[in-house]
Amino acid sequence: AAATDKVKAQTLAEIKTSVSEKSIAVLPFVNMSSDNEQEYFSDGLSEEILNSLARIDGMQVVGRTSSFQFKGKNEDLRSIGEKLGVAAVLEGSVRRDGNRARITAQLVRTRDGIHLWSETYDRNLQDTLAVQLDIAEKVAGALNVLLDDKQRATMRKAGVANVDAFIAYQKGLKLYFDAHNKPEIGLLEGLHLANAEFDRATTLEPDFFEAHFAK
């Protein structure tokens, strides 16, 4: 039995040492606003940060499905890191108050729970989407990933300027997936509701490619 325990311990140690120091999971940011509608904004912001990080050469970023399974769960970040096989976890929160928003973000090393970086952003609502790029750059720096001008340009080329368009797109995505996964909603009715949100997004921001593609 002692020999078996030793083998298990060695295996666990090998797994931990094989994790890349430049691997990360972006957890869904917590909506701290009283308006539940802002859940779409906080989820969408988290996903955009994830996408920005995924565009950086040298970064290993866990996909949305895997990281969002921990939404609403009060689980230790070290445990999450072990389950997802990542060296760091990014978490945060969003609080919207009228035309202002406060976004907090913190990067935690999963092997020991040490905070590597954290920051709070107070912005006008229309400036909040630019925050995702700053967070991605700061996270990359904290993990010793160097960015050149080409990588920065790649990260910035897919930005959305209109927050309401961004929220409508996120609502449309949720309605689309609900239409396919919840029989009680009805496929046609669900898709009709989703397309209405995608139409709203493209009306507010005509160059919103993802919303056009989703329709």
Side-chain angles (χ1 to χ4, degrees):
T4 302
D5 290 340
K6 184 177 181 181
V7 170
K8 288 181 179 179
Q10 289 175 335
T11 302
L12 183 58
E14 289 170 358
I15 292 173
K16 288 183 176 180
T17 55
S18 68
V19 172
S20 169
E21 290 300 313
K22 296 176 175 59
S23 58
I24 186 173
V26 179
L27 301 185
F29 280 32
V30 178
N31 172 34
M32 302 294 289
S33 308
S34 57
D35 182 3
N36 290 333
E37 285 284 295
Q38 298 311 311
E39 193 87 14
Y40 298 108
F41 179 58
S42 57
D43 281 356
L45 185 68
S46 310
E47 187 170 357
E48 288 302 300
I49 294 170
L50 186 157
N51 291 335
S52 294
L53 287 168
R55 297 186 186 105
I56 299 174
D57 292 339
M59 294 286 292
Q60 297 180 16
V61 185
V62 171
R64 182 190 191 281
T65 301
S66 296
S67 57
F68 270 56
Q69 69 178 294
F70 297 100
K71 180 180 172 72
K73 297 180 180 178
N74 188 26
E75 187 162 347
D76 185 82
L77 295 181
R78 287 171 292 187
S79 173
I80 292 176
E82 187 174 319
K83 290 177 179 178
L84 295 179
V86 293
V89 168
L90 180 71
E91 63 173 1
S93 64
V94 181
R95 183 187 298 276
R96 178 178 176 178
D97 183 11
N99 195 42
R100 300 286 299 179
R102 168 169 287 193
I103 300 169
T104 65
Q106 58 180 6
L107 182 68
V108 179
R109 191 165 61 198
T110 57
R111 71 169 180 264
D112 52 17
I114 295 295
H115 284 65
L116 300 175
W117 168 83
S118 65
E119 194 158 334
T120 298
Y121 301 84
D122 287 303
R123 296 287 190 274
N124 288 322
L125 198 59
Q126 295 301 331
D127 295 333
T128 54
L129 295 179
V131 170
Q132 74 194 41
L133 299 173
D134 188 71
I135 291 175
E137 289 192 26
K138 295 290 178 56
V139 166
L143 297 180
N144 297 315
V145 177
L146 298 178
L147 296 177
D148 56 26
D149 290 340
K150 181 179 179 181
Q151 286 182 310
R152 287 190 174 91
T154 300
M155 288 169 56
R156 295 176 185 278
K157 70 179 180 180
V160 179
N162 188 294
V163 169
D164 290 326
F166 183 76
I167 292 173
Y169 173 67
Q170 295 297 326
K171 290 176 69 175
L173 287 180
K174 184 177 187 306
L175 289 166
Y176 176 87
F177 289 117
D178 284 350
H180 285 85
N181 297 317
K182 296 182 178 180
E184 67 274 16
I185 293 176
L187 180 61
L188 292 179
E189 177 62 18
L191 292 178
H192 175 73
L193 294 172
N195 281 332
E197 294 296 338
F198 294 140
D199 284 338
R200 172 171 160 74
T202 55
T203 298
L204 291 168
E205 184 157 323
D207 294 331
F208 197 162
F209 171 77
E210 288 87 350
H212 281 292
F213 182 79
K215 291 195 292 183

